[in-house]
Amino acid sequence: MGDLLTARAAGLSKELEFFARSRVEGYLKSVNASKRKGQSTDFVQHREYLPGDDIRSIDWRVFAKSDRLVTREYEEYTNLDLIIGVDFSGSMAYPAGDLSKIEFTRRMTAMLSYLLIQQRDAVGFAAMNSQILHFLRPNSSRRHLAELFRVLVTLTPEGDTDLSACIRQLLGQVRRRSAFVFFSDCFQDPDALSKALGMLTARGHDVVLYQVYHPQEKTLDFTGFTLFKDLETGEVDPADPLEIRAAYEEVFARHQTSLRSGVGRHGIEFQSIEVSEDWEDQLANLLRIRRSRK
Amino acid sequence: MILSSPAVLGALVFGVTPVLIFFLLRRRKKEIDWGASYLIRMTLQNRRKTSLWKQYVVLACRSLLIMLAVLLLAGLLRENKAPVNQVPRLPDNPVHRVVLLDNSVSMSVGEGGHSRFTLARQVLGRLCASQRFGDHLTLLPLLRSSGPAEVISFSGPMTEDIAQSLERLSPTEGHIAISPIFTAAFSALARTPEATAEIYVLSDFPRELDNDLAHLGWVREAIEKRGARLIPVNVAEEQEAFQNVVIEDAQIGSDYVLAGIPTAIYVTAVNHSDTEVTANLEVLLDGNIRTRQAVDFKPNERKRFPLWITLDQPGTRAVTVRTDHSRLEQHGQWRLSLSVRDKLKVWIAAADDVSSPEQAIEETEFLLRALNRPSVGAKSIAAEKVALSVLTEPIPDDIDLVILAAPQYAIAATTRNLETFVRRGGGLILAMTSGMAYAGYNEQYAPLLPAPLLGMANATVVSDQFSLVRPESVGDASALFDEFTTEAGGDLGRTRIYNYMRVDEDKLVGKVIFRMTDDAPLVLQRLLGRGCIFMFTSTLGISCNSMPVRQGFIPFWVRMAHAATVGREPARNVRPGEKLVLPWPATGRVTLTKPDQQTVELKANAWKGAAFVQLQAPDKSGLYRLAGGQHMVDYFTVRGVAPEGDLRSFQAGTQRDLETALGTSVFSSWSQAVEHMGSADATSDLWPWLLMLMLGLYSFEAWFVRQL
C-alpha cells in the first residue's frame, strides 16, 4: 500500500476534494451536494412561506423590502458513492518494464480512493476488461480501502477490451446514484463507449472518463520495420513506423476528438492523461479542473 | 560507355541505397508488445488502399533524388577543374555543320600512329558525337579522287553506321582543289536555310594550296551572306621540322638496259625542308643494294643526278630507287621496270660496190671492229657488216639496229624495208660522208630522214677548221645521253668535227640531239612508229671528225645504238591510261598483281603467230607484276608523280593571304579553336536542369507521401 500511495500523494489528498458535479445521494453529511435541500450554509433559493415552515428560515430582509414572506432554502450535503472503474484489459499493460498504463492507473486510483475515504465518502471499485473482473461496492471504511488496494495490486491486465459490456453490467449492479470515474486507454470504438457511458448519466450518475495513454502510443516513436503484437489478442500487425507515423497521429487525434465529443454529448467529463512519473500532480490537476467547473 | 563515368557510377551506387535500406529494414523486423493495436489497425486500414506500387514510387523518387544529388555534386566539383575543351559550344537553335576534311597524303604525317589525319578524325568524331536531334552534319573530303567524292551527311545524333563510315576514311593520293569544295559546302548549307551554319576546315594546309588561293576570293562574301561561321583549323603540329627528300622522277631513257654496260638512272629529287640534307640514295635490285650514293641538298633544292647501275643477267627486272630521308615511304622510292638485254644485233650496211668511197668502207670496218671489241663498253653489241643489197629483202626480226654506213647512193628498194623495220621497233642510224649523193637521199629516204640534206659543210677538210661538239646541247632531249653532260661530256666536247652534212632545219621532222659549236646539228632524231632514227651528220670514221680517237667514241656509239633501239622492247614504264602491249610466250591466263598486292586475271591473246598481253595502264602508280604459265614473269611500272611531296604547312605569307581571303584566322590547333568558340562542357549546362529536376522531384515526393 505504501507503493501505491506515496506520502506526497497522501498529503495532496488531504488538500483536495472530489466533488461530484451532480447531486448524489448519501447518508453521511459530506462535501457532496445532495439534490435534497437541507440545513447547511450554502443558500440555494427563496420560496413562499407556507404555514408550518420554520420561522427561523424566513428571510426578514426580503419582507422588509417587499412586504412578502419568503423562506431561505439551503443545500444539503450528503456523502458520495464513487465507483472507480479501471480498465484491466491487456492493452493497459503497455509498456512492459517502464511505468505502464496500469501501474499509473493503480497509483491514480489509490490516491483517489484515499482522498474519498478522507472526506468520508464511499469508494467502490470495478476491474474491467471484456467483463467485470472484480467489483467492490462503495464503502467508506479503512478496511475497505485496504481491500481495494489489495485487489488493485493483485489483478493483472489481460484479455480484450469491452467497456461497453462492463458498463451495462454495472448498471444492473448500482442502484443508487453514484459517481463513476473510469480509467481506461479507451482503445475501442468511441461511439459504443460513449453510448454505454451515456446510459449511466441517463440514470443520473455522474461520470468522468479519464483516458490513460502512453506517450509512445501517441507519437509512435519507433524506428525500423516493426511487428506490433496486440497485447490483448496476440495478433501481429507489421508496419513501418516511419511510414505510418503521420497517419497514426492523425488517427489518434481523431479518436480522442471522437471520444471527447461523444462523451461530451452525454455530459461526461473527459480528460486525456499521459502516463508520467508525476502522477500525483496529474491527478491533483484533474481534480482542480473538476472543481473549477463545479 | 556512359557507365564508365565515375559520376554516373557513383549516382547509381548511392541511388540504390534507399532500396537497400528498404529491403534491409524489411528483413530486420523487431517485434514489440503493443497496447494501441486498435489504432494501428485503423491506420493500416486507411492505408490499405495504398498499394505496394505507391510505396515503390516513393522509393523510386528517393533513389532518383539521391542519384541526381550525386550527379549534381559531381558536376559542381567538375566545374572547378579545367575545361575539357573538346567540343565547341552548340548554339541554342539547330546547327548545320559542314566539315571540310583534308584527306590528302600529307595528312599521313605523324609519329606512333598519331597522324594529322587521326587527329582530324578525332575532332570529326567529337563533332559528330555532339550532334543533337535537329542538327545536321555534312562531311566533304577536300580531295577529289578519280571516283565520286565520298560525302557523309546525316541529321541528328550519330549512328553506328556513320561511325563506321568515319572509321573507313583515310588519306589518299590526289590533288586538292579547295574552291570547289567550298562551293559544295554552301550547296549543302542551302538545304537547311534556317539552321545556324558552321563550316569547319580540318587540314594541314599544304603548300600546294598556294595555287588555289586566287580562287577563294568569293568565299568571304558567301560566308557573310549566309551568316555562317568559318573555323579553319591547322591540324599539323607546330614546329614540325623533319627532313623530307622526295624522289620526283627516275628514268633511264629506255625501258631496257644492256647487260654488262653501266647505265645511269637519272633521279630527280627535291629537298622539301628548310635545312640542308645529305640524303642517301640507293638502287636496289631484288632487294639488294646495288648502288648507294650520298647526295647533298640545300634547303628546298631540286636536283637531277645519275645513279649508275650495271646489270648482267638478262631478263625482266624491277629496280627500286629509294632514299632514307623521306617523311613518307611512298615519297622516298621509285620503281622502274627494266628488261636486261644481253645482246644488240647490229647490221652495219655499206655499199659493196666499187663506187663507194674507199674511206667509207674503211670507216665501216672501223666501227665494226670497235663495236665488236670485247671490251667492257661493247660486249653487249654484236655487229655484223652486211651489203646494202641485203636491205632489199625484209630485215629479220632478230636484228635490232641497222647502221647505214654512208653508201654513196640511196637505193629505193631498201626504203620500204627500212621503213617497215623502223616502224616495227627497229633502230636506224644514218651516217654521212662527203661524196654521197645527198639529193638521192632526200628523194629516196625522205620517210627516214629527220631533215633534208643540204650537202657537206666544207668542200675539203682543213685540219684547223673544225667545230666542237657541245655535249650540253643535249638538254632534255634524251636521258640516255645525259651522261655526256657530266664528266663523260668533257671528252665528247673535245671532239673535232671537221666536216659534216648540213641539214635543212626548217623542215626538221624530229629533234636535234647534239649540236656543235657553230650551232649546226651533229645528231638528229626522228621517231617513226615504234622505232627511232638517228642521223649522225659526220662520218663514222676519222675522215671528218676526231671522235674515233677519243675515249668517248665507243660509249657514244653504244649510247647511240641503245637510244636508237628503244623501240625493240615494249614500254614498261608508262603513264596512267597508256596502252601496254607485252609479248607473252603463250596464250592463256595471266595474273596481274597490283602494288597493293591485289590480283586481277588477264588473258594473253594470239596475234599473227605470237601471243601478247594487252592492257591499259591503271591509275595507281607503282610496280605491277605479270605471271603466267611456263614460269613467265614480267613487270611494268605505272609512273606517277608523287602527289604532295611537300608535307609542310603553308608559309606565313600564304597563311596571311588565306586568312584575308577567308575573312578569319586559321587556328593553330583544335584546342585553340574550341577556346575561341567556347567550350561546350556538358555538365556546366546540365546542372541547372539537374537542380530543377531535383526540386521538382522532392516536391512531388513530399506531396505523394502526404497523399499516402
Side-chain angles (χ1 to χ4, degrees):
Chain A
M1 194 155 104
D3 291 335
L4 284 175
L5 188 63
T6 61
R8 183 163 177 267
L12 272 175
S13 323
K14 287 180 180 167
E15 296 174 20
L16 295 169
E17 298 173 295
F18 182 86
F19 295 95
R21 282 202 304 177
S22 63
R23 296 172 184 188
V24 296
E25 293 174 345
Y27 64 89
L28 286 179
K29 299 279 187 210
S30 176
V31 296
N32 291 296
S34 163
K35 70 174 188 181
R36 288 206 188 103
K37 296 182 181 47
Q39 298 294 324
S40 79
T41 58
D42 291 333
F43 172 75
V44 176
Q45 63 183 4
H46 287 114
R47 68 169 175 82
E48 287 292 327
Y49 173 80
L50 294 173
D53 288 337
D54 190 351
I55 295 174
R56 287 177 293 181
S57 67
I58 294 173
D59 194 339
W60 294 110
R61 280 190 198 159
V62 172
F63 178 73
K65 287 182 184 174
S66 64
D67 215 18
R68 282 171 56 230
L69 281 172
V70 294
T71 59
R72 289 199 194 88
E73 286 194 331
Y74 295 91
E75 282 199 294
E76 186 176 286
Y77 289 99
T78 66
N79 65 322
L80 172 67
D81 275 3
L82 176 71
I83 298 171
I84 302 175
V86 175
D87 182 354
F88 265 88
S89 64
S91 61
M92 291 295 284
Y94 183 83
D98 287 344
L99 180 63
S100 62
K101 288 187 285 187
I102 194 60
E103 203 51 50
F104 178 83
T105 304
R106 283 188 180 121
R107 283 164 170 71
M108 296 278 270
T109 304
M111 183 175 164
L112 185 60
S113 305
Y114 183 78
L115 166 67
L116 286 163
I117 295 296
Q118 285 297 107
Q119 63 185 37
R120 291 186 294 161
D121 286 321
V123 62
F125 177 75
M128 308 174 291
N129 53 10
S130 56
Q131 59 184 356
I132 295 182
L133 295 171
H134 199 100
F135 181 67
L136 290 175
R137 288 195 173 278
N139 193 297
S140 58
S141 68
R142 288 210 173 255
R143 217 164 89 180
H144 176 77
L145 185 64
E147 175 62 16
L148 192 151
F149 284 176
R150 186 192 68 77
V151 172
L152 203 53
V153 298
T154 306
L155 287 174
T156 56
E158 62 180 1
D160 298 344
T161 304
D162 192 355
L163 297 185
S164 309
C166 297
I167 289 165
R168 281 193 284 275
Q169 281 183 338
L170 279 176
L171 276 172
Q173 297 206 22
V174 178
R175 301 285 178 198
R176 195 174 164 191
R177 282 195 182 131
S178 305
F180 286 85
V181 172
F182 290 99
F183 289 96
S184 170
D185 52 19
C186 302
F187 289 149
Q188 64 169 93
D189 181 15
D191 290 335
L193 182 58
S194 304
K195 197 173 172 184
L197 290 170
M199 285 195 283
L200 284 172
T201 56
R203 292 275 183 96
H205 299 295
D206 190 9
V207 180
V208 178
L209 176 62
Y210 290 130
Q211 183 197 21
V212 178
Y213 65 92
H214 193 273
Q216 285 180 336
E217 289 175 329
K218 182 178 181 182
T219 60
L220 205 64
D221 190 16
F222 300 103
T223 55
F225 195 75
T226 308
L227 301 175
F228 293 94
K229 188 177 176 186
D230 192 346
L231 280 167
E232 295 182 4
T233 63
E235 279 178 44
V236 173
D237 296 303
D240 187 345
L242 196 64
E243 276 185 34
I244 67 170
R245 182 169 295 136
Y248 176 85
E249 286 174 352
E250 201 179 311
V251 165
F252 186 91
R254 210 163 47 231
H255 182 257
Q256 269 195 341
T257 305
S258 296
L259 276 173
R260 193 186 303 277
S261 62
V263 301
R265 276 197 295 272
H266 299 285
I268 298 168
E269 182 184 337
F270 174 82
Q271 295 291 336
S272 272
I273 311 170
E274 192 172 286
V275 169
S276 63
E277 289 294 337
D278 60 341
W279 50 275
E280 302 102 336
D281 292 330
Q282 288 230 41
L283 182 59
N285 197 41
L286 287 172
L287 295 179
R288 285 193 194 101
I289 291 170
R290 183 170 174 76
R291 187 176 180 177
S292 67
R293 288 179 182 167
K294 173 177 172 266
Chain B
M1 223 158 103
I2 193 170
L3 289 179
S4 63
S5 163
V8 173
L9 279 174
L12 285 173
V13 167
F14 283 103
V16 163
T17 307
V19 178
L20 282 176
I21 292 173
F22 178 80
F23 284 107
L24 280 174
L25 287 178
R26 285 277 187 278
R27 285 174 60 104
R28 293 170 57 184
K29 305 168 193 170
K30 62 181 177 188
E31 187 176 289
I32 60 168
D33 293 329
W34 183 244
S37 291
Y38 172 77
L39 297 180
I40 287 280
R41 280 189 210 113
M42 211 167 356
T43 306
L44 293 177
Q45 195 172 15
N46 289 343
R47 282 172 56 84
R48 199 164 292 142
K49 295 172 191 173
T50 307
S51 60
L52 193 62
W53 71 266
K54 290 188 181 178
Q55 294 183 37
Y56 288 154
V57 167
V58 172
L59 199 61
C61 286
R62 288 171 183 170
S63 295
L64 202 55
L65 268 170
I66 292 175
M67 280 194 251
L68 290 175
V70 170
L71 285 174
L72 183 66
L73 196 63
L76 288 171
L77 288 175
R78 211 174 153 207
E79 278 281 315
N80 297 327
K81 293 183 184 173
V84 179
N85 270 346
Q86 289 190 354
V87 178
R89 185 175 296 134
L90 287 160
D92 295 332
N93 53 321
V95 63
H96 187 165
R97 290 163 162 164
V98 178
V99 181
L100 311 187
L101 177 67
D102 186 349
N103 57 332
S104 60
V105 167
S106 64
M107 293 286 280
S108 304
V109 172
E111 296 289 343
H114 185 77
S115 66
R116 295 170 185 173
F117 191 79
T118 55
L119 178 60
R121 193 160 52 194
Q122 284 173 8
V123 169
L124 178 61
R126 288 183 203 132
L127 289 172
C128 291
S130 68
Q131 288 279 98
R132 307 161 299 186
F133 284 105
D135 291 340
H136 303 266
L137 189 136
T138 302
L139 173 65
L140 296 170
L142 284 189
L143 207 61
R144 273 195 299 182
S145 57
S146 57
E150 184 177 350
V151 176
I152 296 174
S153 183
F154 66 99
S155 300
M158 182 171 64
T159 62
E160 191 61 34
D161 290 340
I162 299 295
Q164 287 175 1
S165 296
L166 295 180
E167 283 296 316
R168 285 195 291 268
L169 293 172
S170 62
T172 186
E173 290 184 355
H175 300 282
I176 295 177
I178 197 169
S179 180
I181 301 299
F182 268 110
T183 305
F186 285 106
S187 296
L189 287 173
R191 295 200 311 264
T192 55
E194 300 302 323
T196 302
E198 291 180 352
I199 302 176
Y200 294 84
V201 183
L202 305 179
S203 172
D204 56 355
F205 296 96
R207 296 193 178 186
E208 69 170 305
L209 275 182
D210 292 0
N211 302 326
D212 225 13
L213 291 184
H215 305 294
L216 292 179
W218 63 275
V219 173
R220 186 173 184 168
E221 192 181 325
I223 289 170
E224 287 171 2
K225 192 176 172 184
R226 177 59 178 85
R229 197 171 182 182
L230 180 61
I231 307 106
V233 180
N234 188 351
V235 294
E237 290 182 0
E238 292 184 33
Q239 308 302 325
E240 268 182 355
F242 46 80
Q243 294 179 339
N244 187 26
V245 174
V246 175
I247 296 176
E248 289 189 341
D249 191 24
Q251 56 172 299
I252 294 175
S254 165
D255 286 344
Y256 80 92
V257 297
L258 296 170
I261 295 182
T263 308
I265 301 175
Y266 287 91
V267 179
T268 303
V270 60
N271 176 20
H272 285 302
S273 66
D274 297 321
T275 57
E276 291 183 359
V277 172
T278 299
N280 291 320
L281 277 296
E282 297 167 340
V283 178
L284 292 91
L285 176 67
D286 298 332
N288 299 315
I289 299 173
R290 300 298 292 267
T291 304
R292 172 178 280 164
Q293 183 175 320
V295 180
D296 297 324
F297 289 87
K298 294 190 180 65
N300 303 297
E301 183 186 11
R302 175 175 279 102
K303 223 171 180 178
R304 189 166 186 265
F305 51 89
L307 293 177
W308 289 92
I309 184 170
T310 303
L311 301 175
D312 298 313
Q313 298 297 322
T316 308
R317 294 282 188 270
V319 170
T320 304
V321 179
R322 76 175 183 199
T323 177
D324 56 357
H325 278 73
S326 282
R327 193 67 179 82
L328 298 177
E329 188 182 342
Q330 64 260 45
H331 290 162
Q333 61 182 17
W334 196 274
R335 299 289 182 95
L336 285 171
S337 296
L338 298 174
S339 174
V340 182
R341 296 202 61 177
D342 55 350
K343 285 279 188 225
L344 270 182
K345 288 190 75 175
V346 180
W347 274 358
I348 304 177
D352 52 2
D353 57 17
V354 298
S355 62
S356 293
E358 195 172 320
Q359 58 262 42
I361 298 173
E362 291 174 357
E363 289 169 359
T364 306
E365 193 65 31
F366 186 85
L367 181 62
L368 183 67
R369 291 177 186 176
L371 290 178
N372 283 335
R373 191 173 164 192
S375 64
V376 173
K379 62 183 179 184
S380 297
I381 296 179
E384 180 184 353
K385 183 179 174 184
V386 297
L388 191 61
S389 58
V390 169
L391 299 179
T392 59
E393 297 293 326
I395 300 167
D397 290 337
D398 62 338
I399 301 299
D400 298 306
L401 175 68
V402 173
I403 301 176
L404 213 55
Q408 188 174 10
Y409 300 104
I411 301 175
T414 65
T415 307
R416 191 187 177 89
N417 290 332
L418 286 170
E419 189 181 343
T420 303
F421 169 72
V422 172
R423 284 188 181 279
R424 289 174 68 178
L428 176 64
I429 298 176
L430 302 165
M432 301 289 122
T433 190
S434 55
M436 59 191 289
Y438 62 88
Y441 271 73
N442 290 339
E443 187 182 334
Q444 303 300 332
Y445 288 160
L448 303 173
L449 295 175
L453 307 178
L454 296 175
M456 298 302 282
N458 302 313
T460 55
V461 172
V462 178
S463 60
D464 59 352
Q465 289 180 359
F466 54 86
S467 300
L468 294 174
V469 179
R470 283 170 46 203
E472 73 281 1
S473 62
V474 69
D476 295 329
S478 174
L480 279 171
F481 293 108
D482 274 357
E483 65 186 284
F484 297 103
T485 62
T486 58
E487 291 107 15
D491 184 73
L492 182 67
R494 288 186 282 277
T495 301
R496 297 178 181 184
I497 309 295
Y498 299 102
N499 205 0
Y500 58 88
M501 179 66 70
R502 290 181 297 115
V503 296
D504 186 357
E505 280 194 67
D506 293 337
K507 295 178 184 171
L508 180 65
V509 180
K511 58 183 177 183
V512 177
I513 301 298
F514 283 105
R515 289 186 184 273
M516 295 173 281
T517 46
D518 64 355
D519 211 35
L522 178 64
V523 176
L524 298 97
Q525 180 192 47
R526 177 175 180 171
L527 298 175
L528 187 65
R530 282 174 48 203
C532 176
I533 301 169
F534 282 110
M535 182 160 74
F536 185 69
T537 58
S538 190
T539 57
L540 293 175
I542 57 172
S543 58
C544 292
N545 64 76
S546 66
M547 187 178 287
V549 303
R550 303 228 64 92
Q551 283 186 345
F553 173 67
I554 293 178
F556 179 78
W557 274 99
V558 166
R559 286 289 175 253
M560 282 272 282
H562 191 175
T565 55
V566 290
R568 295 300 289 169
E569 283 287 336
R572 293 181 183 284
N573 298 283
V574 294
R575 297 284 177 191
E578 276 189 45
K579 192 178 279 186
L580 265 170
V581 179
L582 296 169
W584 209 253
T587 57
R589 208 165 61 176
V590 178
T591 303
L592 170 68
T593 303
K594 300 180 183 179
D596 59 6
Q597 303 308 307
Q598 288 187 356
T599 57
V600 174
E601 293 300 317
L602 303 172
K603 199 174 170 194
N605 298 309
W607 186 70
K608 291 191 176 180
F612 295 91
V613 174
Q614 186 175 338
L615 68 155
Q616 198 163 9
D619 293 334
K620 177 80 177 161
S621 59
L623 180 70
Y624 291 77
R625 182 174 180 273
L626 290 162
Q630 301 176 17
H631 307 290
M632 175 62 183
V633 174
D634 206 344
Y635 297 94
F636 69 91
T637 305
V638 176
R639 299 160 58 92
V641 178
E644 272 199 280
D646 194 345
L647 302 175
R648 295 172 290 184
S649 286
F650 48 21
Q651 293 166 312
T654 311
Q655 181 173 351
R656 279 194 294 275
D657 293 339
L658 179 65
E659 289 173 347
T660 303
L662 298 179
T664 184
S665 301
V666 174
F667 296 102
S668 59
S669 67
W670 176 244
S671 298
Q672 193 189 48
V674 172
E675 193 179 326
H676 175 77
M677 295 175 69
S679 173
D681 189 336
T683 54
S684 64
D685 286 335
L686 203 57
W687 77 261
W689 295 102
L690 275 177
L691 192 59
M692 281 172 57
L693 189 60
M694 275 182 66
L695 289 172
L697 199 59
Y698 179 75
S699 303
F700 170 76
E701 192 263 352
W703 168 81
F704 197 78
V705 167
R706 287 167 70 94
Q707 298 309 310
L708 292 179

